[in-house]
Amino acid sequence: MNTHRKLIRRTALVAATGVAALVLAACGGNGSNGHDMGSMGTETSAPATSAPAQTGDHNAADVSFAKEMIQHHRQAVEMADLAPTRASSAETKELAAKIKGAQDPEIKTMSGWLTSWGEEVPADMSGMGHDMSNGMPGMMSKEDMDKLMQAKGAEFDKMFAEMMIKHHEGAIEMATKEKAEGKYGPALKLADEVIKAQTAEIEQMNKMLGTS
């Protein structure tokens, strides 16, 4: 009987040990699974970082806006580049530098958009004697640019302001169209910035001309 009881106790002890081992393994498994779930949570959250790319869809209006505004900006920069040596007014020179400083980076930004979309960046025809008007609003003809290049002093200051006002009005028209028809978030934001900045510069130039 004693031997039989010892055998039962020993069997129970082995069984209890086995249960304990299973519990520990289960706990370890839960911990491991918890970690795995955490890892999975991290992995599933990763695509969120690429969400901006998904919201960056563009349409034909965005492409047209970028291509045309690049050329529009290039002519404005070409006009601004004349000011340091031909303007007599410090305000004209400062405004020209401001225009160039704002629009040069925007040209690079829009060129980057076109490249990323698989579109061709327009060739830079500024400074080559070509007529860049191409029907775009506010663009100066070759004759206009020739007159500006020949002007100097107060005559240049006046001509620069008059031409740049028309140029800015054209850019605002293009930007307004982009806001109405475009889809690409950064392009819509740039269009808004163009409207605000160039509207303020038009007001400044009107004051310089004494027409406001």
Side-chain angles (χ1 to χ4, degrees):
M1 292 291 293
N2 290 339
T3 302
H4 182 65
R5 287 176 182 173
K6 287 179 180 179
L7 182 60
I8 290 173
R9 288 176 181 172
R10 185 175 302 169
T11 302
L13 180 61
V14 170
T17 303
V19 170
L22 287 171
V23 170
L24 287 172
C27 290
N30 287 340
S32 175
N33 288 339
H35 179 70
D36 289 343
M37 290 300 291
S39 298
M40 288 172 65
T42 303
E43 290 171 6
T44 53
S45 66
T49 59
S50 61
Q54 295 174 359
T55 60
D57 293 340
H58 68 281
N59 59 17
D62 298 314
V63 175
S64 295
F65 171 72
K67 287 187 174 184
E68 293 182 359
M69 193 61 82
I70 284 172
Q71 297 179 73
H72 208 271
H73 274 18
R74 282 173 177 163
Q75 189 177 67
V77 170
E78 184 179 2
M79 293 165 70
D81 279 339
L82 298 172
T85 57
R86 308 199 76 78
S88 62
S89 164
E91 188 173 8
T92 299
K93 293 179 181 179
E94 288 170 4
L95 177 60
K98 181 182 177 183
I99 290 170
K100 179 180 173 68
Q103 297 194 22
D104 255 343
E106 289 173 356
I107 291 170
K108 293 183 177 67
T109 296
M110 291 184 286
S111 296
W113 295 343
L114 290 172
T115 300
S116 70
W117 297 337
E119 299 284 346
E120 186 176 350
V121 177
D124 189 354
M125 307 300 285
S126 60
M128 300 176 66
H130 293 278
D131 194 325
M132 294 174 61
S133 53
N134 295 328
M136 284 183 283
M139 288 288 278
M140 298 297 110
S141 66
K142 182 180 181 301
E143 289 72 25
D144 291 329
M145 292 299 293
D146 287 343
K147 288 178 183 177
L148 186 64
M149 289 176 187
Q150 292 165 10
K152 196 163 186 176
E155 181 188 10
F156 177 90
D157 296 340
K158 182 175 183 292
M159 196 177 294
F160 176 85
E162 290 173 342
M163 289 185 177
M164 194 61 81
I165 286 171
K166 291 179 182 177
H167 205 269
H168 276 15
E169 287 172 345
I172 290 170
E173 181 180 335
M174 293 162 65
T176 301
K177 182 180 179 182
E178 165 62 15
K179 288 187 69 177
E181 300 177 6
K183 182 180 180 182
Y184 187 57
L188 297 173
K189 182 180 178 182
L190 178 60
D192 192 50
E193 291 171 354
V194 165
I195 291 170
K196 289 178 181 177
Q198 298 199 17
T199 296
E201 289 170 357
I202 287 172
E203 291 176 4
Q204 180 183 351
M205 288 184 285
N206 276 324
K207 288 179 181 177
M208 290 165 64
L209 290 169
T211 56
S212 65

